[in-house]
Amino acid sequence: MTSSPVTLRAPDAPGQPVPSPELDQLYRGFERELLVPLWTEIGDLMPTSPRPAAAAHVWRWQRLLELARRSGDLVPVGRGGERRAIALANPGLGGAPYATPTLWAAIQYLNPREDAPVHRHTQHAFRFVVQGEGVWTVVDGDPVAMRRGDFLLTPGWRFHGHHNQSDTPMAWLDGLDIPFVHTVGSAFFELGPDTVADHSTPARSRAERLWAHPGLRPVSQPGPTPSSPIAAYRWEHTDAALADQLALETDGYPGVLEPGHAAVRFSNPTTGGDVLPTMRAEMHRLRAGTRTTTRREVGSAVWQVFDGAGRVRLGEREWSVEQGDLVAVPSWVPLTWDTETGLDLFRFSDTPIFERLHADRVQIGGE
């Protein structure tokens, strides 16, 4: 008989059954039949508030970038190199390549004149560019320019590859819902060509020409879509929106999230909701001298410093951060940002999952 993965003990503790040979015999029967009584597990299964396994953590962009550069010399970008994407591994998740239990984040590195081979997967993905340009991501045959500050979408099951047309390497942040898809057992993957079919370099993709006109929707495309059809949300528009919010505050009008704190959410123009079914993406800007109200929420997030410098406090720990640094925020961990000089922050989270399950909860300050 094989040993059971279930192991039960009978502690002599308040609220627990009195230890006895008969209780031990009962527990051995539970183990044989792969049963676990709730009374032995309720503290872990039903805590009074979330106890995430993931840890609050900061990854330093300059260290990641140096390791990515070395990978560019040693690791192929094609089959076997898997895009040369290097995932963040949260220290609380046992070495799994996950930034949080539901979110995957990685630095991807493409050398000059390289092609990242084409594939598709049911996991939803995006790219966020902290620095550089010269790469086009080709999504279902549509070349999309990648430039500093741009937020680019690759919804699930779209063929995509990348090509670097410049003489310099480029790195960016990849975000996907890989851990969530893996956990629920819904992943599919398919290889495409080893090189992208279209090496053209248009300033705007076809998706942008059709969809990326503020407040305007093509009448030829009725109905909602599960993911946003906008291929790229350009930095010039994001920057202007954040600047206008702070200017309105200066003029005495509403518009900011809280004093000195402007924020915008990337949205799907066909629904008004999130850009992807499983992930939310936002951009935040803090004026110099701003400290945010402490906030905690169910679900996890990853933040990246786009510009400026400041400090982040997660629970009882605090870090100084600068451009490119990445921050994992586990579920229900109190979060506060502050900056003396100003700070731009990109954020993505698993909030849409919890909202659809009606399991979302937010606490702001002393609420």
Side-chain angles (χ1 to χ4, degrees):
M1 179 178 176
T2 59
S3 61
S4 172
V6 176
T7 302
L8 300 174
R9 297 287 180 264
D12 187 4
Q16 290 291 307
V18 176
S20 68
E22 292 78 12
L23 186 64
D24 284 339
Q25 186 177 11
L26 175 64
Y27 281 7
R28 301 298 83 75
F30 286 161
E31 291 173 355
R32 287 192 300 272
E33 298 302 324
L34 302 180
L35 301 171
V36 179
L38 179 59
W39 63 81
T40 65
E41 303 292 327
I42 191 167
D44 293 325
L45 293 178
M46 296 182 178
T48 56
S49 62
R51 297 177 186 172
H57 191 71
V58 172
W59 290 266
R60 302 299 182 184
W61 180 252
Q62 289 305 315
R63 297 177 193 170
L64 301 183
L65 193 57
E66 176 56 32
L67 291 169
R69 289 192 185 105
R70 290 164 58 187
S71 299
D73 295 332
L74 300 172
V75 180
V77 74
R79 310 303 183 196
E82 299 310 323
R83 300 294 187 86
R84 210 182 285 122
I86 307 160
L88 311 185
N90 189 289
L93 299 179
Y98 302 157
T100 79
T102 54
L103 301 173
W104 193 86
I107 180 173
Q108 187 171 161
Y109 192 84
L110 200 60
N111 280 321
R113 307 298 169 179
E114 279 188 330
D115 272 24
V118 179
H119 64 212
R120 65 177 176 176
H121 39 71
T122 47
Q123 295 92 338
H124 298 290
F126 69 79
R127 332 226 169 261
F128 181 69
V129 185
V130 175
Q131 58 193 55
E133 60 181 35
V135 170
W136 273 254
T137 181
V138 183
V139 182
D140 275 349
D142 188 8
V144 187
M146 298 175 61
R147 299 183 291 264
R148 172 172 158 77
D150 291 347
F151 171 66
L152 307 104
L153 294 183
T154 308
W157 213 235
R158 307 283 181 87
F159 277 116
H160 55 284
H162 322 301
H163 62 92
N164 188 346
Q165 293 299 312
S166 75
D167 294 321
T168 57
M170 185 171 164
W172 60 87
L173 172 68
D174 281 347
L176 291 91
D177 57 3
I178 289 175
F180 172 73
V181 171
H182 179 76
T183 298
V184 299
S186 62
F188 291 87
F189 179 88
E190 183 178 344
L191 294 174
D194 288 342
T195 58
V196 297
D198 190 336
H199 283 81
S200 63
T201 57
R204 290 193 303 152
S205 61
R206 296 191 298 274
E208 291 170 84
R209 291 163 62 190
L210 184 61
W211 283 99
H213 301 282
L216 301 173
R217 175 175 178 161
V219 178
S220 63
Q221 308 293 315
T225 59
S227 300
S228 173
I230 299 177
Y233 295 75
R234 297 300 180 188
W235 171 242
E236 56 263 33
H237 305 305
T238 308
D239 181 34
L242 294 168
D244 279 346
Q245 285 188 17
L246 292 177
L248 283 167
E249 181 189 35
T250 298
D251 294 340
Y253 298 104
V256 293
L257 185 62
E258 58 181 332
H261 182 181
V264 293
R265 181 172 300 161
F266 300 101
S267 65
N268 179 346
T270 74
T271 64
D274 290 295
V275 288
L276 296 167
T278 53
M279 289 186 286
R280 175 166 294 171
E282 297 173 340
M283 199 78 194
H284 294 247
R285 174 169 291 170
L286 306 183
R287 288 186 191 272
T290 295
R291 180 182 178 89
T292 65
T293 303
T294 300
R295 178 186 179 98
R296 55 166 57 172
E297 59 186 279
V298 168
S300 57
V302 175
W303 296 69
Q304 185 169 34
V305 179
F306 177 66
D307 207 1
R311 291 175 297 278
V312 59
R313 185 173 183 83
L314 291 162
E316 299 302 316
R317 301 187 65 188
E318 185 168 307
W319 292 267
S320 294
V321 291
E322 59 186 14
Q323 186 185 56
D325 290 349
L326 290 140
V327 180
V329 183
S331 182
W332 210 242
V333 171
L335 166 69
T336 310
W337 292 94
D338 72 87
T339 177
E340 296 177 359
T341 57
L343 195 57
D344 281 0
L345 298 159
F346 171 75
R347 172 186 186 265
F348 74 102
S349 70
D350 53 18
T351 307
I353 298 172
F354 292 93
E355 288 184 346
R356 284 174 172 80
L357 295 173
H358 302 284
D360 57 307
R361 181 177 292 197
V362 177
Q363 183 184 74
I364 299 174
E367 289 183 359

